[in-house]
Each structure stands twice: as C-alpha cells, then as structure tokens.
Amino acid sequence: MESQSTLRTAVIIVAAGSGERLGQGIPKAAATLGSEPMLGHALRGVLAAQIAAQICVVLPRGDTELRALVASLQEGNDVQLMTVDGGSTRADSVRNALEVLSETDAVLVHDAARALAPTEVFHRVLNALESGAKAVIPVIPVVDTIKVASSSERPDIAPEQVRSTPIRESLRAVQTPQGFELATLRKAHDASAMFTDAQAAAITDDAMLVESQGIPVYLVRGSELSLKITTPNDLLFAEALLEGPAAPRWVEG
Ligand code: C5P
C-alpha cells in the first residue's frame, strides 16, 4: 500500500539499544522474533509502508550481524539503506543518524523495538505532516490508572508513596514512528546537545525535544500492534501476534 505523500521522507530506525531488559545478552534488535531478528521485521515494516526515499538504521557500535541483515534487504530495493553507529543514549543515536541524512522534507523516527507497527500508522503520521504539522506522534489511550510516585514519608512501610493521580482521560501512551519536519527535528536536537548527562538520559522520545522548543506536537491514532518489545513477556506476546490474525503483519486488521 503506497502513501500518496509528496513529501520527500527519510526514516531513522534506532536499533542500538543494549537489550538489557530482554535478558538475552545480545542487542535487542538482534533477538529472534518468529524466524528472524527483530530488526528484520522493523525494517521490512518500514519498506512495506512505501514512504521512504532513504532509511538510516542506527546499530550497536561494532555490530556486524545486523549490518549484514540491512545490506541483505538492500538487494532489489530502490530505497537507499544506510547504517550508522549508535550513541550512549537514544537521543545520541538519533543525532548520529541526523548527521548523515540527505536533505529531505520530513523524517520519521522509529524504534526497532516496535517491530510490528502497521503500515497505516506510518501513513497517518505522514498525512499529518503533509497537512502542515511540524511534529506528529502516534498514541493510544491509557488503560491503567497512572500514579506519579515520590519518596515515601515512611520508608519502613514502603519506599514510595503517591504524589498525584493524573486524569486518565487526558493521558496517552506514545509510540513510534514519530514524524517531524527535518529542519525542526535537527534544531531540537542541536538545542539538546548542551544537556547534562542526567538530562540527556531523561529524553525518552524525540517529541520531548520538539515540545521544549514550543512547537505543537499533534497526535494521531497509533496501534495496539505497535507494542514496544522490551521484556521476555513482550517477546512472547509479539510472537503470538505474528502467528495470529494480525497477518499480514504490517497492515491493520
Ligand atoms: O529501551 P529504550 O526506550 O531506550 O529504546 C528505544 C529504542 O531506542 C530501541 O529501539 C533501542 O534500540 C534504541 N536505542 C538506541 N540507542 C541507545 C538506546 C536505545 O538506538 N543508546
């Protein structure tokens, strides 16, 4: 399914995370999902959306296996696939990719960990950019009640206590791909280059940086299929999705 967008678009796939919480002792993007590494699903998902002129995959420094996987997917594809080394934080990894991208209108930043994101989500993000948004992110409603925690007044009872309860109706769980006008994302990342290590480690998505520039970030509908595969349980769930009615994988049911 091809997007009708007239925007020249690049996609950054960040895949340089350590995968510590998955506990397999290998980078998360190399963990097997179904019959291939998670990155293979993520990259083929981006290719299936047919939105990108250029895709830059950010890989763990020194990795050879995932580089070979990216190279193998280049065969028979017009889209330019590139790889760069990751940095010590996610924001550093995105910045490394921004340095090598050619001048496009739009850039989508996608987590390899959201390996099953459907085609329609890529198109919803791109359509919002096409309509004039400088920043757009896919979201889903939050089903849990969320509490803000703080240190406990009585550590002998429990280490933390509730500080406040945001109204659930107004909360959204944020996914990727996140879409930006390229110049806007570059400016936001340049501004964050001065951050302390603690500030840099607290940047968990690109939209945060753009928000801090006072730029409106628009929300479009994400997908339950775009789960972030982080723990062994997530991997089991993703395997079940692959075998279940979600097929073909990158199209909403
Ligand atoms: O686990 P976390 O939220 O940090 O990871 C989100 C995404 O960012 C993953 O796809 C991971 O591979 C990537 N990442 C990265 N470079 C880092 C940390 C995370 O590319 N230094």
Side-chain angles (χ1 to χ4, degrees), residues 108-225:
L108 269 53
V109 185
H110 188 40
D111 287 349
R114 297 190 190 271
L116 303 183
T119 286
E120 287 81 355
V121 176
F122 288 89
H123 290 184
R124 285 197 279 273
V125 169
L126 202 55
N127 286 345
L129 291 172
E130 183 96 50
S131 302
K134 291 189 169 183
V136 53
I137 60 178
V139 299
I140 56 173
V142 171
V143 291
D144 294 316
T145 296
I146 306 287
K147 305 283 181 190
V148 179
S150 60
S151 299
S152 165
E153 289 164 9
R154 287 280 310 271
D156 56 317
I157 298 175
E160 293 184 329
Q161 67 182 63
V162 172
R163 191 198 303 170
S164 61
T165 308
I167 303 296
R168 187 172 63 189
E169 195 71 359
S170 69
L171 295 175
R172 304 287 179 267
V174 175
Q175 304 180 331
T176 67
Q178 299 192 346
F180 306 93
E181 178 190 56
L182 179 63
T184 296
L185 187 63
R186 281 211 164 117
K187 201 165 151 221
H189 271 276
D190 286 350
S192 74
M194 319 303 246
F195 284 8
T196 62
D197 287 352
Q199 285 171 322
I203 302 166
T204 48
D205 76 347
D206 296 280
M208 283 173 73
L209 296 174
V210 173
E211 284 156 48
S212 68
Q213 302 278 299
I215 291 165
V217 177
Y218 293 96
L219 309 182
V220 295
R221 185 161 52 88
S223 168
E224 298 280 348
L225 296 177

Side-chain angles (χ1 to χ4, degrees), residues 15-67:
S18 65
E20 208 172 306
R21 286 167 291 180
L22 205 53
Q24 295 192 359
I26 54 171
K28 181 159 69 177
T32 304
L33 170 58
S35 58
E36 67 174 327
M38 203 183 298
L39 177 63
H41 293 275
L43 187 46
R44 287 195 294 112
V46 174
L47 290 168
Q50 297 190 286
I51 50 159
Q54 189 178 41
I55 301 173
C56 181
V57 186
V58 188
L59 294 174
R61 194 173 289 276
D63 162 90
T64 52
E65 188 195 329
L66 294 174
R67 269 177 182 73

